[in-house]
Amino acid sequence: MRETFKFAAKVVGGPLVGLIIDGVETASKSIDVASDEGLPSLREEAAKQRIKMDFSQHQARVAQELAIAKRIENAAEVEIEEYYDDSGKGTAGLTVNAESQTGSFGFSDENRRVSKRVYRFKGAAGLADETYSQSEE
């Protein structure tokens, strides 16, 4: 049943879903082997997996930007709107009054998040498609 589900997910989701499923299986097996060897080995394997995930996330962002650039290049009309403001601030304080032997502690934070990324690609500029590929070395 499990193999059938994985096969169906790979067929429906395409090659990207297949890569994700294979990657999760490989990571899970590595963690299982490391957990049998003890805590230091498990910590080392977890650190390796974290580095691999960061690298894969970076590659995915690059691939996404390349795909967007290619669509911009091939579109007859492009409309782009981008807004980013991920600002935030926080404060903490401690007040002590020695005369009355009282004190107070407080903190506050303020978070503002504005994110909008809209792309609209209309028409085709009549250019031939090129394929960009990226591999992990």
Side-chain angles (χ1 to χ4, degrees):
M1 171 86 177
R2 187 170 186 232
E3 293 298 319
T4 306
F5 175 73
K6 285 192 309 190
F7 178 75
K10 288 179 181 182
V11 170
V12 173
L16 182 60
V17 172
L19 288 173
I20 292 171
I21 289 172
D22 293 342
V24 168
E25 282 184 336
T26 303
S28 177
K29 289 176 185 175
S30 297
I31 292 291
D32 288 344
V33 168
S35 67
D36 292 341
E37 294 176 4
L39 192 57
S41 180
L42 184 60
R43 284 190 177 129
E44 182 180 334
E45 185 60 36
K48 287 179 188 177
Q49 294 296 329
R50 212 172 295 117
I51 291 169
K52 285 180 183 179
M53 285 190 311
D54 289 343
F55 183 71
S56 295
Q57 185 178 27
H58 177 69
Q59 281 188 316
R61 285 186 184 140
V62 169
Q64 179 184 18
E65 292 300 323
L66 284 173
I68 291 169
K70 186 65 179 171
R71 290 186 69 191
I72 288 171
E73 181 180 309
N74 288 335
E77 183 180 335
V78 178
E79 178 182 331
I80 297 174
E81 291 182 44
E82 286 186 314
Y83 309 105
Y84 292 101
D85 181 11
D86 294 326
S87 60
K89 64 180 178 179
T91 59
L94 174 65
T95 305
V96 177
N97 187 337
E99 286 182 19
S100 62
Q101 296 181 346
T102 59
S104 65
F105 174 74
F107 66 92
S108 68
D109 76 33
E110 178 182 327
N111 191 8
R112 181 177 165 205
R113 181 179 175 104
V114 177
S115 295
K116 183 177 182 178
R117 188 174 187 177
V118 177
Y119 297 104
R120 290 188 183 87
F121 306 101
K122 298 178 184 173
L127 299 174
D129 282 340
E130 293 179 28
T131 302
Y132 294 100
S133 65
Q134 186 172 328
S135 64
E136 183 177 336
E137 294 292 326

